[in-house]
Amino acid sequence: MDEGDRSIKRSLAAQDPIVRELLQEDVEHGVLIPLKTTLELRDDYQTGHVLITRTPTKAANPAILMLRSLLPDEIIKGVPHLRRCAKPSDLPAHLKAQFMNESPQSRQIHTGKSNWIYIIVGPENMLNRDEVISALSSVEGMEGEVFLRRIPVPMVSPTSQVQAAMWSQHFWPSLYRKNNPLGPHPSMIARQTDEIADDAAIWMTLAHKVAKESHDAGYGEPMGACVIQRDEGKTTLVALAGDSRWCHQEKTGCTGNPMAHSAMRAISIVAQKLVRAENRKTQTRQKPILEFEAFQDSPIAGDEMKVFELEHPNPDGYLCHGLEMYLTHEPCVMCSMAILHSRMGKVVFRHRMPLTGGLCAEDRGRDHPSLKGADGGRGLGLFWRRELNWSMVAWEWESSGCLKPLRVDRAVHA
């Protein structure tokens, strides 16, 4: 056993009595790979066109004030990564060459210490060229022919200092403002990866264990989910759930009970524990009489029951707010949306489901190695979408070889 394995065994999570009881297999570290968002994969950068002008340095402020009457300042603030003003020496090489060769005056402007400055007027599609030229012509020092040119620029902010430097060389002087408009900030991903890395293998092992237990009993596919709470360095096991789509019904068709996917059951079990705590406070114990329990939110396997009997560590919280879910397989679109609506904080899964998964953003075209000619369509990347009212960080977990793969049909919804 190497030092990494020993650190898992010595971790606080592994010392929890219920975890020690459930954890019968050897546990080895895996690799956490953060998922990319749809924007990060498809919109490395989007370019638009802006109009630029140039003025003597002494006329720069009057020119900018004049331009504000044509275009609200908020429009310019919409591209804060682009410098509003740039010296001739700061322009990309291709723009310098283009402007220098236009006229003898232009060559003089770009030679030596220049007393001229370039200014971004605004997005081309929001401006009338004639109005801009007329307005600038009235500025003292800009009489005569007004310089107005159209250039392409990135319309989203750079996601790193390196990218900002590249854009400054290829487009226009750009700034990196230490954010990521296309997804979670890299520093946040790094911090949260470090936070879960030491014991992620424990929770993934438990998810595999309950998956095999449920599958061996004939309840469902070999898929499992483990939910934990992490609070101030302490981790608490909240729920274990295997897949039970074939439970209480014949194995007909290819889908089974969709409400009994492992992720759906795990969320429902968390909800049951919260209801149980609330009933104890109010001294009410109402149990609905159902002909068929669609959500299968009662524990059915031995390990599920052991965890279900434990009290919820935060019975006053909102469902799964801030909790972590570890899954053997990438959840389907239905389960991905359920995870989002439950306000889960983090999700880690092991096996991608290229045909049915909802978290990954990669295109699932015919060239995907696991599709073998089938067309999987475009990845949805539901863990981080601007149009949804919740987002979270998600990872793919690669085993170091200790956990055997849990094979399922590629068309199965996890």
Side-chain angles (χ1 to χ4, degrees):
M1 181 183 296
D2 61 24
E3 181 60 31
D5 300 331
R6 288 195 294 270
S7 69
I8 294 178
K9 295 294 186 182
R10 291 198 301 260
S11 69
L12 291 176
Q15 300 311 309
D16 184 276
I18 187 66
V19 173
R20 284 207 310 270
E21 180 182 348
L22 296 173
L23 206 61
Q24 299 173 357
E25 302 180 44
D26 291 333
V27 178
E28 293 183 8
H29 276 300
V31 178
L32 289 162
I33 305 172
L35 297 191
K36 294 291 187 181
T37 69
T38 55
L39 291 174
E40 286 174 322
L41 289 171
R42 297 171 196 166
D43 296 328
D44 187 18
Y45 62 84
Q46 292 178 326
T47 58
H49 289 87
V50 297
L51 296 179
I52 63 171
T53 188
R54 70 184 176 206
T55 74
T57 304
K58 61 181 181 181
N61 286 334
I64 291 174
L65 291 174
M66 178 62 69
L67 292 173
R68 284 176 180 168
S69 65
L70 300 178
L71 202 62
D73 219 27
E74 289 72 21
I75 301 297
I76 300 300
K77 290 179 180 178
V79 283
H81 56 287
L82 300 177
R83 291 187 183 276
R84 184 74 189 271
C85 301
K87 297 177 182 178
S89 58
D90 292 334
L91 295 183
H94 70 282
L95 290 183
K96 289 181 188 176
Q98 176 186 336
F99 299 153
M100 281 182 68
N101 294 323
E102 288 184 348
S103 68
Q105 182 193 18
S106 293
R107 283 192 289 276
Q108 186 177 0
I109 287 172
H110 286 267
T111 302
K113 187 176 180 181
S114 178
N115 61 348
W116 286 72
I117 196 165
Y118 285 88
I119 302 172
I120 290 181
V121 179
E124 182 188 34
N125 60 355
M126 295 184 178
L127 294 164
N128 181 292
R129 280 176 169 266
D130 293 336
E131 289 182 1
V132 173
I133 291 173
S134 176
L136 291 175
S137 297
S138 65
V139 177
E140 184 178 355
M142 294 190 66
E143 300 87 354
E145 185 178 354
V146 172
F147 177 92
L148 195 64
R149 298 293 183 271
R150 169 184 185 262
I151 64 167
V153 293
M155 299 307 291
V156 294
S157 300
T159 58
S160 67
Q161 189 66 54
V162 172
Q163 192 174 48
M166 182 185 72
W167 289 357
S168 296
Q169 293 176 358
H170 290 85
F171 296 102
W172 182 265
S174 303
L175 298 169
Y176 173 53
R177 298 190 178 276
K178 297 184 179 180
N179 64 352
N180 179 11
L182 309 180
H185 195 279
S187 64
M188 182 182 77
I189 294 176
R191 184 176 65 253
Q192 295 193 11
T193 300
D194 290 342
E195 187 179 51
I196 71 174
D198 288 343
D199 55 24
I202 292 175
W203 315 123
M204 190 60 71
T205 300
L206 292 181
H208 277 64
K209 188 171 184 289
V210 75
K212 290 185 284 188
E213 183 178 14
S214 182
H215 178 63
D216 292 345
Y219 296 138
E221 300 291 333
M223 300 172 175
C226 174
V227 178
I228 71 161
Q229 175 175 293
R230 191 181 303 273
D231 184 29
E232 296 181 356
K234 180 183 179 182
T235 53
T236 306
L237 188 55
V238 179
L240 279 179
D243 183 84
S244 65
R245 68 189 67 196
W246 307 118
C247 191
H248 303 311
Q249 70 179 75
E250 294 182 8
K251 191 172 182 180
T252 57
C254 61
T255 58
N257 177 10
M259 299 301 173
H261 292 182
S262 58
M264 296 289 286
R265 290 192 65 238
I267 294 170
S268 296
I269 288 174
V270 173
Q272 284 293 316
K273 296 179 78 167
L274 292 174
V275 170
R276 183 177 65 192
E278 182 63 26
N279 286 343
R280 287 175 179 168
K281 290 181 182 178
T282 60
Q283 300 300 313
T284 60
R285 292 177 180 270
Q286 298 178 349
K287 188 172 182 179
I289 301 174
L290 302 173
E291 183 177 346
F292 178 71
E293 196 172 335
F295 282 94
Q296 297 291 321
D297 52 10
S298 297
I300 56 176
D303 288 351
E304 291 181 7
M305 179 60 75
K306 291 175 184 177
V307 179
F308 182 73
E309 290 174 348
L310 302 174
E311 295 303 319
H312 194 291
N314 183 24
D316 299 321
Y318 174 80
L319 197 47
C320 297
H321 187 274
L323 301 184
E324 298 173 17
M325 179 177 279
Y326 293 79
L327 296 158
T328 57
H329 296 76
E330 178 188 0
C332 64
V333 175
M334 177 190 70
C335 290
S336 296
M337 289 303 297
I339 291 169
L340 282 169
H341 287 310
S342 72
R343 299 297 190 265
M344 196 72 67
K346 304 181 184 73
V347 174
V348 183
F349 66 85
R350 181 182 181 188
H351 298 292
R352 289 197 181 204
M353 298 297 287
L355 284 175
T356 62
L359 289 186
C360 291
E362 283 84 356
D363 289 346
R364 288 98 187 276
R366 293 181 181 274
D367 57 343
H368 194 284
S370 66
L371 294 182
K372 297 179 181 178
D375 189 358
R378 302 189 74 180
L380 295 175
L382 293 175
F383 76 101
W384 193 283
R385 295 289 293 252
R386 288 176 175 174
E387 60 269 38
L388 300 177
N389 63 356
W390 186 256
S391 59
M392 57 196 175
V393 181
W395 295 262
E396 182 180 5
W397 188 83
E398 289 190 355
S399 170
S400 60
C402 179
L403 289 176
K404 294 181 180 179
L406 296 176
R407 305 295 186 188
V408 298
D409 188 279
R410 65 186 184 184
V412 167
H413 289 71

